[in-house]
Amino acid sequence: MTVAIYPGSFDPVTRGHLDIIQRAAKVVDKLIIGVLINRAKDPLFTIEERVELIRECVRDLPNVEVKSFTGLTVDFARDNGATVIIRGLRAVTDFESEMQIAQTNHIIDPQVDTMFFTTSLEYAYLSSTIAKEAAFYGSDVSRFVPDLVARRMKEKMDALHREEE
Ligand code: ADP
């Protein structure tokens, strides 16, 4: 049985992430999405909120689980019996750092390999940061993120704007 993890910040999950999740879930037996607890200064969503949002979005994928984690990605993989790390590649700009991370991970734990999925063309430009920028300035972001996430982003942004007043 092949178990894979898909690690990331997912602040918040986008349609681009979901595209990778759906495709990866077809090629492995079990996919565990790992939401990284990092020290990024100003996340829009808490870890719990990010996990909950992804869970809602993957409800109909029976072989997908969502967890949060801290520390090394390879340790998270090993603790979950996973031998594969899934990552998405959007453009050449992703390539250099992703290659470096994958090689480092493979050196730390040779049992673990990274599998890259190239982004579907319609999401090649998309990142959580872009979606947040658009939402902040009042754009409808349902093209970028699932509808539920778009609604939650709007609530967050409305609260932020109220704080600014
Ligand atoms: P990180 O902070 O680890 O890059 P992200 O949540 O931004 O976490 O991304 C997690 C993974 O999803 C990365 O492999 C990233 O390249 C990939 N990814 C991000 N946006 C997209 C997208 N629009 N299409 C496909 N893959 C994406």
Side-chain angles (χ1 to χ4, degrees):
M1 174 156 144
T2 307
V3 181
I5 58 160
Y6 178 35
S9 317
F10 304 106
D11 184 35
V13 64
T14 68
R15 292 190 185 274
H17 294 132
L18 278 181
D19 173 58
I20 301 289
I21 292 167
Q22 281 155 357
R23 288 159 60 200
K26 284 189 201 149
V27 299
V28 298
D29 297 303
K30 184 169 159 191
L31 179 66
I32 301 167
I33 301 167
V35 184
L36 181 65
I37 306 175
N38 55 11
R39 284 157 295 163
K41 261 179 264 148
D42 251 339
L44 184 61
F45 290 96
T46 65
I47 286 289
E48 293 76 22
E49 288 171 329
R50 285 183 241 169
V51 167
E52 191 229 305
L53 284 175
I54 304 173
R55 280 205 183 120
E56 284 296 320
C57 297
V58 302
R59 284 169 81 135
D60 31 349
L61 299 173
N63 62 335
V64 178
E65 271 177 36
V66 192
K67 295 181 178 179
S68 58
F69 77 103
T70 179
L72 288 176
T73 305
V74 282
D75 289 339
F76 178 64
R78 204 181 303 123
D79 293 346
N80 285 281
T83 50
V84 177
I85 298 173
I86 304 286
R87 294 289 287 176
L89 278 183
R90 277 163 295 191
V92 272
T93 41
D94 279 343
F95 186 81
E96 209 169 288
S97 60
E98 289 294 339
M99 176 107 159
Q100 200 176 19
I101 296 169
Q103 286 166 337
T104 309
N105 285 338
H106 193 66
I107 286 172
I108 300 175
D109 188 343
Q111 305 295 319
V112 177
D113 255 305
T114 301
M115 193 188 276
F116 290 106
F117 282 75
T118 50
T119 319
S120 297
L121 273 180
E122 70 244 65
Y123 304 124
Y125 64 91
L126 184 56
S127 67
S128 300
T129 307
I130 292 278
K132 283 186 278 194
E133 276 291 296
F136 185 79
Y137 292 109
S139 170
D140 171 17
V141 289
S142 51
R143 274 165 299 178
F144 306 147
V145 297
D147 293 341
L148 166 70
V149 179
R151 285 198 297 277
R152 298 293 263 286
M153 287 179 89
K154 186 168 182 325
E155 287 164 15
K156 288 267 182 194
M157 295 306 173
D158 288 347
L160 275 180
H161 290 310
R162 275 198 301 274
E163 269 171 36
E164 275 176 358
E165 277 165 18

